[in-house]
Amino acid sequence: MKHRIVGEAMTTAVVHVRPDTSFKEILNVLVEHHLTAVPVLDDQDRPLGVVSEADLLCNEAAKEDPTGLMLTPRLSPDARLKSRATNAAGLMTSPAVCASPQWTVVEAARVMGRRGVRRLVVVDEAGRLVGVVGRSDLLRGFLRRDQAILEEIRRDVISRALGLPRDAVDVRVHDGEVTLSGIVERKSLVSVLVRLCRCVEGVVAVTDQLGFRTDDTLAAVDISADRIPST
């Protein structure tokens, strides 16, 4: 089984700004390129941080309500500093959360979730920007055709990983949802097969309808137990 890597999923034509780029210049870049954030690079093209729409909105959030109906806003110290900033150096969220082009999309997704970010700045071994990967880039794997998922499960999971005939179990795929049915020799194979299928890119869910001839997960005295469906 092969997962896409970040280098295959990322956008390489990256719009960026410099630390001295002004508030309005940053806003113009976001609007012109239909972006929600841009990386801030130093003169060696190494990312210093990221400026997002949320960072720019700190300026607006800090203003008093002209009608006098709303209470004085209570901003965090970081947001208050950003509300007074006039360039990328003061507005950016730093440091940038970075990824390697060699990471799998699974690794990238986990870092995004753990760090609570929408995108990762991708850097080479020298720390220079080579791309940006966002949530939508990682989700493209779920657009794989059902037939491609089916073939990978038969070839890489059932045949190569488990050493079974490709048709050892019945595999159905509909809209990325995999259903496994049939009989395998040992109960321990069921959980392994389900887990490996879940790892296939594009799989949304796996339904286990498998039976087994021998329960090799119990003590020797219980080995005769089975779960073969009655006919």
Side-chain angles (χ1 to χ4, degrees):
M1 292 176 291
K2 179 182 181 296
H3 282 286
R4 283 184 307 152
I5 60 174
V6 168
E8 297 169 334
M10 69 184 185
T11 298
T12 55
V14 181
V15 178
H16 65 272
V17 297
R18 300 294 180 181
D20 59 352
T21 304
S22 71
F23 182 104
K24 286 204 170 182
E25 287 178 299
I26 297 169
L27 182 55
N28 284 334
V29 167
L30 295 180
V31 172
E32 180 182 350
H33 296 279
H34 307 287
L35 301 171
T36 59
V38 285
V40 184
L41 307 184
D42 65 14
D43 56 5
Q44 299 295 317
D45 288 341
R46 295 186 176 92
L48 300 172
V50 174
V51 178
S52 68
E53 292 174 327
D55 295 321
L56 299 182
L57 278 174
C58 289
N59 181 284
E60 194 69 22
K63 293 180 179 178
E64 300 287 344
D65 178 22
T67 66
L69 298 176
M70 297 179 65
L71 297 175
T72 301
R74 293 184 178 180
L75 302 178
S76 67
D78 183 56
R80 191 163 295 281
L81 285 173
K82 289 182 179 182
S83 72
R84 300 168 183 159
T86 60
N87 59 26
L91 289 161
M92 68 184 181
T93 297
S94 181
V97 182
C98 298
S100 163
Q102 299 306 315
W103 284 10
T104 66
V105 293
V106 174
E107 292 175 283
R110 287 176 179 171
V111 171
M112 281 187 191
R114 188 166 61 248
R115 299 294 295 273
V117 296
R118 296 174 181 270
R119 66 199 61 81
L120 299 174
V121 178
V122 187
V123 297
D124 61 17
E125 294 179 354
R128 294 187 178 88
L129 178 110
V130 293
V132 169
V133 64
R135 290 173 176 175
S136 60
D137 298 315
L138 303 187
L139 288 171
R140 286 193 188 116
F142 288 106
L143 296 177
R144 290 187 75 191
R145 294 182 180 275
D146 290 342
Q147 187 61 34
I149 295 172
L150 175 62
E151 285 302 316
E152 183 170 341
I153 290 174
R154 285 174 172 166
R155 181 187 66 244
D156 293 349
V157 175
I158 297 175
S159 180
R160 292 179 182 171
L162 298 181
L164 301 174
R166 288 166 57 98
D167 59 353
V169 299
D170 181 56
V171 183
R172 285 169 288 159
V173 185
H174 178 68
D175 288 343
E177 298 182 20
V178 177
T179 301
L180 303 173
S181 58
I183 307 296
V184 295
E185 286 297 324
R186 303 186 308 278
K187 182 181 179 180
S188 59
L189 280 176
V190 175
S191 59
V192 174
L193 182 55
V194 170
R195 176 172 54 82
L196 291 177
C197 287
R198 284 177 179 154
C199 291
V200 172
E201 188 168 23
V203 171
V204 176
V206 178
T207 299
D208 165 21
Q209 297 179 351
L210 292 165
F212 53 86
R213 292 187 172 84
T214 303
D215 187 347
D216 58 343
T217 65
L218 299 177
V221 293
D222 296 321
I223 284 182
S224 61
D226 63 54
R227 199 182 77 177
I228 299 178
S230 58
T231 57

